[in-house]
Amino acid sequence: MTTVQRKMIEDLRATLGEQADPAAVGERLYESGVMDDIMARRYVVKLEFVLRYGTNEKSARRTHEDIANDYGLTRTGVRFILSDGK
């Protein structure tokens, strides 16, 4: 964990408490400008791919297309997010 990560976590604990509701954490990150819809969508796309691809018989390409349709992206955009922009 980096120094910056530690500092952010310390602030979230101090502000929201040890047992903070994830919704409160998300709201705090949005309010502070640390998180926005683009960054949150990257998180959700990665999560959705892992959940969907591991639990169905669809190809990776079809899974990319389904996620793209659900989140207003192109299949290439989904692939870009999943490859961390490489």
Side-chain angles (χ1 to χ4, degrees), residues 58-76:
K58 293 181 181 179
S59 67
R61 179 186 176 107
R62 182 63 199 164
T63 304
H64 291 168
E65 290 170 352
D66 290 347
I67 293 169
N69 289 333
D70 290 347
Y71 294 100
L73 296 164
T74 63
R75 186 176 62 83
T76 303

Side-chain angles (χ1 to χ4, degrees), residues 1-13:
M1 182 179 305
T2 69
T3 302
V4 173
Q5 288 172 317
R6 271 193 298 281
K7 187 64 178 172
M8 182 178 70
I9 291 167
E10 286 173 14
D11 174 69
L12 291 170
R13 281 186 179 139

Side-chain angles (χ1 to χ4, degrees), residues 20-86:
D21 176 8
V25 174
E27 186 176 315
R28 172 80 172 160
L29 295 175
Y30 265 83
E31 287 172 356
S32 67
V34 172
M35 178 72 70
D36 60 20
D37 282 349
I38 293 169
M39 294 170 72
R41 184 170 58 184
R42 290 178 59 86
Y43 174 87
V44 170
V45 165
K46 289 178 178 188
L47 174 65
E48 286 291 318
F49 182 76
V50 170
L51 294 174
R52 293 182 193 195
Y53 189 60
T55 60
N56 67 48
E57 300 296 319
K58 293 181 181 179
S59 67
R61 179 186 176 107
R62 182 63 199 164
T63 304
H64 291 168
E65 290 170 352
D66 290 347
I67 293 169
N69 289 333
D70 290 347
Y71 294 100
L73 296 164
T74 63
R75 186 176 62 83
T76 303
V78 171
R79 286 179 46 220
F80 183 80
I81 289 170
L82 294 173
S83 69
D84 289 326
K86 298 175 188 160

